[in-house]
């Protein structure tokens, strides 16, 4: 069965998420902070990476569930090296 091409809207959302992620990663502190003036949490670099990964996984699942090509390259599982046994 042939997969349908990925919709343009999905690709646009992925591009926006990537741009947002790069901006957040550039400006985010290493540790999560707290703004005392406004009483809100300041997201860390880890939070930015986590949000980006979840967004991309969600878009990938959307594509897979509807028969579209995905936006993430599939992982190729490596087989462990097996040593030849000479007896």
């Amino acid at each position: 069965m042939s997969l349908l091409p990925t919709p343009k809207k999905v690709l646009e959302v992925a591009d926006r998420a990537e741009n947002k992620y790069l901006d957040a990663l550039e400006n985010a502190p290493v540790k999560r902070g707290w703004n005392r003036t406004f009483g809100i949490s300041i997201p860390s670099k880890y939070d930015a990476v986590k949000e980006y990964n979840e967004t991309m996984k969600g878009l990938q699942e959307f594509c897979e569930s509807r028969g579209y090509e995905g936006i993430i390259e599939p992982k190729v599982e490596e087989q462990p090296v097996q040593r030849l046994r000479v007896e």
Side-chain angles (χ1 to χ4, degrees):
M1 182 175 147
S2 178
L3 296 175
L4 299 169
T6 307
K8 289 181 181 179
K9 186 167 184 173
V10 171
L11 295 174
E12 290 170 2
V13 170
D15 288 340
R16 282 196 308 269
E18 196 166 274
N19 290 335
K20 179 182 174 186
Y21 162 72
L22 290 173
D23 291 340
L25 193 60
E26 181 180 26
N27 299 319
V30 175
K31 290 178 141 183
R32 185 177 297 151
W34 184 259
N35 184 320
R36 291 181 187 169
T37 305
F38 297 106
I40 58 172
S41 177
I42 300 170
S44 66
K45 290 184 186 299
Y46 173 78
D47 295 328
V49 170
K50 186 176 175 184
E51 181 181 343
Y52 173 76
N53 287 338
E54 291 302 316
T55 300
M56 291 300 160
K57 286 178 188 176
L59 291 172
Q60 179 71 16
E61 289 175 11
F62 172 84
C63 290
E64 288 175 356
S65 69
R66 287 161 177 79
Y68 295 117
E69 293 177 358
I71 60 168
I72 300 173
E73 290 187 29
K75 285 186 181 178
V76 178
E77 292 188 27
E78 295 181 16
Q79 297 293 326
V81 176
Q82 301 260 337
R83 185 174 162 205
L84 291 176
R85 304 231 182 247
V86 179
E87 296 182 30

